[in-house]
Amino acid sequence: MNIHEYQAKQVLKGFGAPVAEGVPITSADQAEAAAKQLPGPLYVVKSQIHAGGRGKGKFKELPADAKGGVRLAFSIEDVVKNAKEMLGNTLVTAQTGEAGKQVNRLYIEDGADIARELYCSLLVDRQYGRVAFVVSTEGGMDIEAVAHDTPEKIQTIVIDPATGVTEADVAAINAAYGLTGDAAEDGKSLFPALYKAFVEKDMAMLEVNPLIVMENGRLRVLDAKVSFDGNALFRHEDMRALRDETEEDAKEIEASKWDLAYVSLDGNIGCMVNGAGLAMATMDIIKLYGKEPANFCDVGGGAGKEKVAAAFKIITADPNVQGILVNIFGGIMKCDVIAEGVVAAVKEVGLKVPLVVRLEGTNAELGKKILNESGLTIQAADDLDDAAQKIVAAVG
Ligand code: ADP
Ligand code: MG
């Protein structure tokens, strides 16, 4: 689960991290009152969407030379003017995809005098099985580009869970950034605070880009992106309350209600599978034969007919889906149950695109019989290669 920047900053502030004052607003009428609560004379108007790259983003409805999704404002009137221009419009950034995201909320924030922009993130380093700080002096930029072009400018500092962030860890992070004086002093409290927030709130990722050194030599968290480990959300009611469903894929929300793993992708073949391994293999083989998956829905081990039908409906609801591949290995899952679910869903919502089904394993013959006798136009496939070739050919 992701949250907005302004929420992430509230959470981090609770752990003692230095953040700017700011006020979230949802309508331009609130802009003036919001700005009046801040010291000025520099304000920043920041689009709140669940995607990064907002500063360099472009609004679809505005001329190409209009400013992006994070704007400096030099007076209260300027804040109001920008808020009117931004709210309700669609921001397209490197992370939103072409469709962009509608900006329904702005964060009016105190402007900072920036001396340096740094990059700091925390994540679980899978190689070490520990939480690690990923730090770089190249803040405010696209970190993927830094990793690609100048990987030597990124350092990883792995934290021992038994000790937490030690003085030596802080010294290593400060040294990686070249921080001295007040900034290095601020680091002594900030880096342990970020670690504490990450661990206590079961975050999957915490990214501060940029972390800034201000002209006065102090550190400040200028941007914050947080995502939580979905498996731990049950024990964080306060974090669950920050969920903004309007930012999420409606199909993924529907899937989570059915306890289905649904992932939306960019291609045009919808995939219903059971098990993560088979999902990966199915996507690989579709790509091998020259097409891209539009999504995959993993119905898991022991789904019933209703759950299978729900999965099928979610897959067909995606307008990009031009064909569907059902690839099921019946182990615990029974192929006849899959077949019944597919038939029930098609009877309810219809079938406007080609459907290829490959069933193997428990009750596979019975499953095929149910499909054959259903009167639906379904292409049966014998194995994974055959299935992928058939759906790719059908989609054309
Ligand atoms: P994004 O990463 O989505 O583009 P950021 O919050 O990182 O959004 O903002 C982009 C840039 O805007 C920052 O790198 C910084 O230069 C500037 N900026 C953001 N917030 C402030 C602020 N409060 N004061 C001054 N500049 C800011
Ligand atoms: Mg940023």
Side-chain angles (χ1 to χ4, degrees):
M1 183 189 89
N2 297 322
I3 57 174
H4 289 293
E5 173 201 3
Y6 80 96
Q7 297 170 318
K9 284 178 171 171
Q10 264 331 103
V11 173
L12 296 179
K13 192 179 173 186
F15 285 86
V19 298
E21 288 174 65
V23 184
I25 64 167
T26 50
S27 99
D29 315 337
Q30 301 161 349
E32 185 175 346
K36 280 186 174 155
Q37 294 177 51
L38 302 176
L42 180 63
Y43 308 87
V44 187
V45 185
K46 309 187 76 173
S47 307
Q48 298 298 293
I49 55 171
H50 284 187
R54 297 161 300 164
K56 293 201 182 77
K58 289 280 169 207
F59 283 102
K60 263 194 179 166
E61 296 83 355
L62 302 182
D65 60 350
K67 284 186 275 174
V70 174
R71 299 178 174 190
L72 298 180
F74 300 91
S75 66
I76 291 180
E77 299 74 67
D78 209 10
V79 170
V80 175
K81 183 171 157 277
N82 279 294
K84 280 186 182 151
E85 208 175 294
M86 294 161 77
L87 268 174
N89 282 334
T90 315
L91 186 60
V92 180
T93 82
Q95 293 182 9
T96 59
E98 269 172 47
K101 285 206 155 183
Q102 192 177 36
V103 176
N104 298 317
R105 190 179 274 105
L106 297 172
Y107 192 44
I108 314 296
E109 194 180 56
D110 182 27
D113 293 320
I114 304 173
R116 294 179 65 202
E117 299 200 6
L118 310 169
Y119 177 90
C120 179
S121 67
L122 281 91
L123 43 79
V124 181
D125 187 309
R126 303 204 180 263
Q127 191 184 337
Y128 292 93
R130 292 181 170 184
V131 176
F133 281 80
V134 177
V135 305
S136 172
T137 51
E138 309 303 296
M141 317 214 308
D142 175 7
I143 196 67
E144 282 80 13
V146 178
H148 182 264
D149 301 335
T150 50
E152 69 283 1
K153 289 190 172 160
I154 298 180
Q155 288 186 49
T156 304
I157 290 129
V158 181
I159 306 302
D160 184 339
T163 58
V165 180
T166 61
E167 278 179 32
D169 294 327
V170 170
I173 300 169
N174 278 340
Y177 288 135
L179 298 181
T180 54
D182 286 345
E185 242 357 88
D186 283 352
K188 287 181 187 168
S189 52
L190 174 61
F191 302 124
L194 295 179
Y195 179 82
K196 193 162 188 271
F198 185 94
V199 173
E200 272 185 24
K201 298 298 180 192
D202 287 307
M203 294 176 184
M205 199 210 47
L206 163 56
E207 185 182 59
V208 179
N209 185 24
L211 166 67
I212 58 161
V213 184
M214 295 191 287
E215 291 292 354
N216 67 8
R218 308 299 300 263
L219 292 182
R220 181 178 277 180
V221 169
L222 207 69
D223 187 11
K225 206 171 158 190
V226 167
S227 63
F228 296 96
D229 179 349
N231 294 317
L233 273 173
F234 73 93
R235 60 183 181 191
H236 298 291
E237 201 185 340
D238 51 345
M239 299 298 112
R240 282 204 310 273
L242 302 177
R243 185 166 184 182
D244 180 356
E245 289 199 348
T246 64
E247 288 287 327
E248 295 174 24
D249 186 324
K251 292 186 287 301
E252 290 186 16
I253 295 172
E254 177 65 18
S256 72
K257 283 183 194 148
W258 286 93
D259 200 21
L260 291 161
Y262 172 85
V263 176
S264 183
L265 299 158
D266 296 328
N268 50 26
I269 296 178
C271 305
M272 184 157 98
V273 295
N274 62 330
L278 194 56
M280 297 302 137
T282 305
M283 292 193 292
D284 279 349
I285 204 151
I286 288 173
K287 282 173 187 256
L288 181 70
Y289 287 109
K291 288 280 177 193
E292 298 280 331
N295 55 44
F296 72 84
C297 194
D298 178 359
V299 296
K305 180 179 142 185
E306 290 74 25
K307 192 167 164 179
V308 172
F312 197 82
K313 281 189 244 170
I314 291 166
I315 292 173
T316 48
D318 180 344
N320 293 326
V321 169
Q322 291 169 16
I324 298 169
L325 174 56
V326 175
N327 185 22
I328 299 289
F329 179 76
I332 302 169
M333 186 82 217
K334 292 187 179 63
C335 293
D336 56 317
V337 173
I338 292 282
E340 280 178 1
V342 169
V343 172
V346 172
K347 286 203 171 129
E348 196 176 319
V349 295
L351 184 63
K352 296 168 201 77
V353 296
L355 170 63
V356 174
V357 179
R358 180 239 176 176
L359 296 174
E360 201 54 76
T362 312
N363 295 357
E365 288 312 317
L366 184 54
K368 284 176 193 164
K369 186 163 173 273
I370 292 168
L371 293 176
N372 287 339
E373 290 172 0
S374 67
L376 304 171
T377 9
I378 297 172
Q379 295 189 55
D382 299 326
D383 57 36
L384 199 45
D385 274 290
D386 185 40
Q389 281 168 310
K390 278 189 172 140
I391 192 64
V392 166
V395 168

